[in-house]
Amino acid sequence: MKRVQSKDIPGFTFPIPDVTGWPKKGVLLELGTLLGHSAVIWAETFEANNMDWRIVTIDSCGNMEPPETVEGLSEGQLRAMQNYMRARGLVVSGKEKEKQIKNNLKGWPNITFRKEQIKFDDKFTFNLEPALTAVYYDMLHTYEANKWALERFKHLDYIYIDDYGPHFPGTIQAVDEHVELYNKHLEIVLTDHGNSGQARITKR
């Protein structure tokens, strides 16, 4: 079966993960995949480094609409973002989103997709918990949602949080508090021309 490459999947800027020193075998839980772009980048990265990793990606498959407001963006910048999303095919219905995710991921046997609505509470369970090695979070960017994810997976050695930047102050607050509380190492990799970033959290 022909595999769809990440370069052929619409998505926002996603920097190549740095998996130096990571175990050769593991399980990555991805919360939020949009159309599968980031999940495939993870798969390509593990493959390029001869690593045997399974990826479980969860997305609610809700309608994807351009944001009406983004904190810190001028009207012109917001309009540019909206136009970018439309031009890149990132404005889709939930039904179309699910269809594209499944089509984009079906050629990658180590990626499992689950359609699920995360409620950010203690009822969320992950049936591969004993094997879970890392988590990548890119869902709701509020302080409460990010804090839930960070607390829920605080025991993991590798946590990636997307949209760490001035437009999402709740993300910054949750990440900074977590890093200070648990004395972890934080690296910020800039995305979107420096307007936002990806927080990479590891144990010291």
Side-chain angles (χ1 to χ4, degrees):
M1 180 181 295
K2 184 178 181 181
R3 301 190 304 188
V4 180
Q5 304 299 313
S6 62
K7 64 181 179 61
D8 298 318
I9 303 174
F12 293 103
T13 303
F14 187 90
I16 303 301
D18 181 4
V19 295
T20 304
W22 288 33
K24 284 294 184 181
K25 187 173 184 178
V27 177
L28 169 78
L29 171 63
E30 179 186 65
L31 296 173
T33 195
L34 190 50
L35 299 177
H37 177 73
S38 53
V40 172
I41 286 181
W42 280 108
E44 291 170 339
T45 300
F46 291 136
E47 184 178 83
N49 288 274
N50 297 313
M51 300 167 71
D52 181 17
W53 275 63
R54 177 179 176 186
I55 300 163
V56 178
T57 183
I58 297 176
D59 200 286
S60 65
C61 294
N63 295 337
M64 189 66 183
E65 300 285 348
E68 296 182 358
T69 60
V70 175
E71 185 171 345
L73 285 189
S74 67
E75 183 177 340
Q77 290 173 320
L78 180 61
R79 192 180 306 112
M81 175 185 285
Q82 294 169 340
N83 292 338
Y84 172 85
M85 291 181 64
R86 293 189 179 95
R88 290 281 293 160
L90 299 176
V91 179
V92 294
S93 67
K95 184 177 181 179
E96 176 62 23
K97 183 178 182 182
E98 181 179 1
K99 177 182 177 182
Q100 289 196 39
I101 291 173
K102 290 179 176 179
N103 181 67
N104 290 332
L105 301 184
K106 65 183 180 182
W108 295 89
N110 62 325
I111 302 179
T112 300
F113 167 63
R114 284 169 43 178
K115 179 182 177 181
E116 184 175 339
Q117 181 70 50
I118 304 296
K119 296 182 178 180
F120 309 108
D121 57 27
D122 294 335
K123 296 180 181 179
F124 173 77
T125 58
F126 181 63
N127 59 10
L128 291 177
E129 191 77 31
L132 190 58
T133 318
V135 66
Y136 167 61
Y137 177 85
D138 187 15
M139 283 187 165
L140 191 61
H141 301 303
T142 64
Y143 169 76
E144 292 77 14
N146 277 277
K147 183 176 181 180
W148 169 85
L150 288 161
E151 280 297 309
R152 179 68 179 77
F153 302 107
K154 64 185 178 184
H155 61 289
L156 298 180
D157 290 340
Y158 312 99
I159 302 175
Y160 277 39
I161 304 288
D162 207 35
D163 289 309
Y164 180 100
H167 309 317
F168 298 100
T171 300
I172 294 178
Q173 181 182 353
V175 167
D176 289 354
E177 288 179 358
H178 179 84
V179 169
E180 181 176 2
L181 179 62
Y182 296 106
N183 189 31
K184 294 184 177 181
H185 175 74
L186 173 64
E187 177 188 9
I188 305 300
V189 179
L190 294 181
T191 61
D192 297 327
H193 309 291
N195 293 323
S196 189
Q198 187 182 84
R200 299 178 173 184
I201 305 167
T202 54
K203 292 184 179 180
R204 293 184 183 276

